[in-house]
Structures are given as structure tokens and as C-alpha cells.
Amino acid sequence: MINASLPELRRALDARQISAVELAGLFLDRIDALNPALNAFITVDREGALAAARVADARIAAGSAGPLTGIPLAHKDVFCTEGVLTTCGSKMLANFVSPYDAHVVSLLKVAGVVSLGKANMDEFAMGSSNESSYFGAVKNPWNPERIPGGSSGGSAAAVAARLAPIATGTDTGGSVRQPASYCGITGIKPTYGLVSRYGMIAYASSLDQGGAFGASAEDCALLLSAMTGFDERDSTSLERPTEDYAAALAASSATTPAARPLEGLRIGLPREFFAEGMADDVRATIDAAIAQYRALGATTIEVSLPNARLAIPAYYVIAPAECSSNLSRFDGVRYGHRAADYGDLADLYAKSRAEGFGAEVKRRILVGTYVLSHGYYDAYYLQAQRLRRLIAQDFQAALQHCDLIAGPTTPTTAWALGEKADDPVQMYLSDIYTIAVNLAGLPGLSHPAGFGADGLPVGLQLIGDYFAESRLLSAAHRFQQATDWHARRPAGAA
Ligand code: GLN
């Protein structure tokens, strides 16, 4: 059951081979056994999970179960959960019990999902390795000396080690796709605006987007279908009919020829992604996966994203600018950490923030405040917004010639814990292939494509036009029907 896909779990629950309470117990026991070493969870909610599982069992008995009723899940600790500790990986919120649910959390509750607890993450989702968490680093289940990626590293490690079959995450510059790649699982970041940001603690609001982790594209499709939908409480939520991505996978299966199911699909390979920068073993793995896509009937053409190289500099102006504004709410007054000793009100703010935020968060607040300040705004912030527009235009031009764009998710496999901890710029560069997608607001998916020379997973990234989630998931699903990279499990987690 631990390794079962969501459709297999659904069948087992519906056939009463296992109850939702038993299934939750199985995963909770596994968390008890493996989480002390992995540190993928900040909070394990055994009682809440078992209570939700009892409700799910009643629904199954009454014949009113949906696709996710009784399925266990981990929520990234960026999502507010009513009555449950919600830390965002920070000392600032180490005592914060949310009084309300994020929109995503309430949608999944309605679907009958059983939340096992809250997954570890980089502090305020700022990071690429999960080492900036106040609650300690997460270990990569494939090799405990390596990072799992970030910022949703706890979610990705939990799914890879089968502490949960699926998990939520958020992706501001790559935080779903990059840890999915490093942990050997599938992760999708949808089009900006598809998943409500209400109750998702803000980092950089124009880039933040909720996403889904699962072993396979099919599991991600089932989870994502339940996470999307218009929400009037988020001013950037898109008002459009919700899609059933899992049904779309099944429908495209029925209409495509079995031997060459991707016949007619045009995949663009950005010249700039395949230039220098990618490690040799990653390149060999990605080349082999693209050859597999061709064998399934897809054609490939070269496309160009000439401004993609400017994505990291543009992002590291825009994201800090937005975070400096968003994080001003953490002042020690209304909730969160408050310094024990302070003089006047200004001193209370300063000391609470100095004590509550870690080094990476402070670095970003300082940069953001600087680029927004009088005299620098035009030179940095406005310029970065112009680059953002150019990057988005590059994608639109490339997508005139192809249906999807493919390339590596990351330039290397997961690095050693501590290796880049003192060099933030090296850390930032690990997101070189993912960040442009957020700047453009496009959907992106990472799926397992093989292993590097060190035996660690390599992810292939698919990028589509706005609302191309079904196309991304279908292509990945076809690939996964023909290969078994997504079914490999780390030793010890089998
Ligand atoms: N690693 C990037 C950052 O540190 C992206 C993080 C994210 O997507 N939340 O900002």
C-alpha cells in the first residue's frame, strides 16, 4: 500500500481492502519510523489525520466518496491550517496556530483528503536546499548526505520516501519542480492564478503559485484537479471553469495510438538550456529522455529563449522587492515571535524581527528595501520588470513553433548538505531553468528522467503555454507509461 498509486489506493479503499483509518495509520507509523532521520515533517498531526480518516470512511460507506476521499497527504507548512501549527519554516511563526484554512486546504478537506501534517521547508520559501529552515535541514531520501532541494523539500522528500503518497507545495522560482527533480518524483506548478493564494503565506505574490507533488503525472493530475478553482479572496485568482486533469489523461489515452501515443506533439528544445552550464551526466540523461519522447512519436525542434539568461538577475530584484513588502506584517505585535526585552515600539519591531528571521530572509528584505528605495527604483525594479516582459515574450515566440518546451529541471543533481550554504549566488543558480517560467506565469512540470553519475535522480522539465496543464500532464503520463523511472524508490524506502 505504501507504494501504491492514487488510483490503486482509490480501488483498495472502495473495495474495503483497507479503511481510510488503517491507511492513515500505515503512513503515520512510517513517518514515526523514518521522519526522525529525514526531518521531512515539522508537525505530524496523528489525531487530526485519524479523525479525518474516520469521516472519510463514513463517506466511503455512504457511497459519496470522491477521487481523493481517504487519501493521505502532506501540506507544505506555508499553507495555513486551522488549529494546526503553521510555521512557514521560521522562528517568526514557530508558535503560530492558524485560526483559518488556506483555500487549498479547505478545498482538499472538502475532497476528503487526510492531512498527515505539515512538511518542512526553507524559511518563508526562500531557498533551494531546505537548509534555511528554522527546524533544520531535510535529508534527501536517496542519500542522506545530500539536500532534497527547496523550498518545498519536506514535501518532495516525504513523497519520495513514501511518508505520504502526495503533497502540496509552492513554486515561486522553482520550489516544486527543483525538489521534485532532486528527489526523483513528479511535481507540477500550474499557470499563475489557477491555485488560490489565500492562506498561502506570501513570499513574492506575483510569482507564488501552489503546486502538486506525486510519484507520477497521474497522481499529480488527481491532486491538482482538487486544488484549483476560482477564489474571490485572491485578487489574482482566475475566473474560469475548473478542469479535471485526471479525466483529460484518461480521455487522451483512449484516443492516441498505443505504439506512438505522442504522434503530432512538437517539443521545443531551447538552445540556451542546452548550452554550457548543464553537468555532463544530466545532459546525457536528458538527451536519452528526449530520445524516448521521440520514440513515442513526438518531434523536436530547436527554439530560442534569448533573454532566459536574465531571469535570475530579474528574479533577484523582483522577488526580494515583493518579500520586503510582504514580510513587513511580521512585527511582533499581532502574532508570531515577540522579543522578550524591548524599549519602545520601534525597538519591539526591530528586536522581534532581528530574532525571528534567519539570515537568508534578512538578506532578501535588505535587498528588496534597497531596490525599491527612492533613486534606485527605476534603475533596478523597473528594469527588472522590463526584463520580465521580454522573458515572457520569448516564451510566446517559442511556443508559436511547438506545443511544449522540454529541457533539464536543474543543471546538476542534488549537492551535499552544507556545500553551498555560504554562497547564496551559487545556490540561486540552481534555479536557472525554472525561474523564467515563474516570471512568465507559465505552467511547468518536472518528472523523473533517470539518474546521474552519483546515482541521484535527474528531472526533465516540461513547460507549456498558459493553461496547458493537461498537455503537460498527458505528455509526462505517456512517458511514464513507457518507462519506469518514476516507479524507482530510494533504498530503505522500498
Ligand atoms: N530558490 C528560489 C528562491 O530562493 C525559489 C524559491 C521558491 O520557488 N519558493 O527564491
Side-chain angles (χ1 to χ4, degrees), residues 142 181-184 280-282 284-286 413 448-459 484-490:
W142 293 88
S181 174
Y182 290 157
C183 288
D280 291 343
D281 57 343
V282 173
T285 309
I286 295 299
T413 54
F451 294 89
D454 49 12
L456 288 163
V458 172
D484 74 345
W485 301 115
H486 65 290
R488 311 283 181 97
R489 301 277 178 261

Side-chain angles (χ1 to χ4, degrees), residues 2-5 27 30 157-166 214-215 219 489 493:
I2 289 295
N3 282 309
S5 68
F27 280 99
R30 195 167 163 86
V159 173
R162 307 309 287 171
L163 304 187
I166 45 173
D219 287 0
R489 301 277 178 261

Side-chain angles (χ1 to χ4, degrees), residues 18-309:
I18 190 165
S19 71
V21 168
E22 288 163 347
L23 186 63
L26 224 56
F27 280 99
L28 288 164
D29 291 348
R30 195 167 163 86
I31 293 170
D32 284 348
L34 299 181
N35 193 56
L38 283 175
N39 201 25
F41 280 85
I42 293 174
T43 300
V44 180
D45 184 14
R46 182 175 273 272
E47 270 172 39
L50 293 174
R54 281 192 289 275
V55 174
D57 278 331
R59 268 179 74 174
I60 294 167
S64 60
L68 295 182
T69 306
I71 304 286
L73 156 144
H75 275 302
K76 183 177 183 179
D77 210 13
V78 73
F79 289 101
C80 286
T81 42
E82 186 181 345
V84 177
L85 192 66
T86 300
T87 71
C88 219
S90 182
K91 179 178 179 184
M92 185 56 95
L93 291 176
N95 61 0
F96 177 64
V97 176
S98 174
Y100 68 101
D101 279 332
H103 188 66
V104 163
V105 172
S106 38
L107 283 178
L108 291 174
K109 273 189 186 168
V110 170
V113 164
V114 172
S115 172
L116 300 169
K118 308 295 291 290
N120 204 343
M121 56 181 283
D122 277 302
E123 184 177 8
F124 286 102
M126 298 171 196
S128 306
S129 66
N130 230 288
E131 292 165 293
S132 79
S133 169
Y134 175 63
F135 300 89
V138 178
K139 310 289 186 328
N140 189 313
W142 293 88
N143 178 340
E145 278 153 26
R146 300 291 180 100
I147 56 109
S151 65
S152 316
S155 299
V159 173
R162 307 309 287 171
L163 304 187
I166 45 173
T168 56
T170 56
D171 190 314
T172 304
S175 282
V176 166
R177 290 160 287 155
Q178 187 254 32
S181 174
Y182 290 157
C183 288
I185 61 168
T186 307
I188 181 165
K189 174 206 101 72
T191 304
Y192 180 81
L194 220 50
V195 172
S196 168
R197 291 182 294 105
Y198 178 80
M200 196 175 103
I201 297 170
Y203 161 16
S205 310
S206 77
L207 300 158
D208 295 343
Q209 186 56 200
F213 288 104
S216 65
E218 190 176 32
D219 287 0
C220 286
L222 282 157
L223 175 54
L224 188 64
S225 299
M227 291 171 67
T228 54
F230 175 64
D231 175 16
E232 62 186 10
R233 297 170 299 186
D234 170 3
S235 62
T236 56
S237 175
L238 294 167
E239 206 166 348
R240 66 196 305 279
T242 51
E243 286 183 58
D244 184 338
Y245 302 110
L249 287 197
S252 75
S253 283
T255 56
T256 48
R260 289 172 66 82
L262 294 178
E263 192 77 62
L265 184 76
R266 298 167 305 160
I267 297 181
L269 306 175
R271 184 182 312 143
E272 295 78 8
F273 284 15
F274 290 85
E276 83 269 26
M278 201 190 331
D280 291 343
D281 57 343
V282 173
R283 174 184 298 271
T285 309
I286 295 299
D287 285 349
I290 287 169
Q292 177 73 45
Y293 270 102
R294 281 196 211 96
L296 294 171
T299 53
T300 55
I301 58 156
E302 188 178 270
V303 293
S304 179
L305 301 171
N307 294 294
R309 66 191 172 85

Side-chain angles (χ1 to χ4, degrees), residues 6 57 167 173 246 275 323 339 346 351 357-358 409 443 445 458:
L6 256 46
D57 278 331
C323 104
K351 287 212 175 96
F357 291 138
T409 308
L445 175 153
V458 172

